[in-house]
Amino acid sequence: MRRLPEGFLWGASTSGHQVEGGNVSSDWWRFEGSGMLPERGGDAVDHYHRYPEDMRLLANAGLNAYRFGIEWARIEPEPGQVVPHPFGPPRAERQTP
């Protein structure tokens, strides 16, 4: 069996809409509500809140890379309305317990 080259990254990827869920500002959410799809994504897999567990699952599966997408509507929910920190304050501004 042929070996993968040293430094090869074996990973997974997701899109924001696949995993975030509940983003009522996104175009996909509106499209889902148009009746053209059989059901809504709802909370999807709730990666927004469950990412620590998801990262453990990826690592336990032997993956060493993860590419994720962020739903643009979290950054700009309406044209021209930009949310500076859609996922909370930058790390340097967070309080350490």
Side-chain angles (χ1 to χ4, degrees), residues 2-97:
R2 187 172 178 194
R3 296 187 65 120
L4 296 172
E6 189 173 324
F8 184 83
L9 299 178
W10 193 266
S13 66
T14 60
S15 73
H17 185 73
Q18 284 177 312
V19 298
E20 288 179 23
N23 191 347
V24 299
S25 298
S26 78
D27 291 339
W28 271 106
W29 187 270
R30 290 182 187 114
F31 182 65
E32 288 176 345
S34 71
M36 297 181 70
L37 296 175
E39 58 190 56
R40 282 193 179 272
D43 285 337
V45 296
D46 197 22
H47 182 66
Y48 185 79
H49 295 105
R50 300 177 69 171
Y51 73 89
E53 176 186 356
D54 293 342
M55 295 301 102
R56 281 192 298 278
L57 291 169
L58 291 169
N60 290 343
L63 303 179
N64 60 1
Y66 176 54
R67 197 260 349 139
F68 64 96
I70 297 171
E71 178 64 53
W72 183 254
R74 291 217 183 267
I75 297 166
E76 188 176 11
E78 297 294 331
Q81 177 190 353
V82 176
V83 177
H85 304 294
F87 297 101
R91 184 178 306 223
E93 296 176 17
R94 295 181 192 155
Q95 291 184 352
T96 305

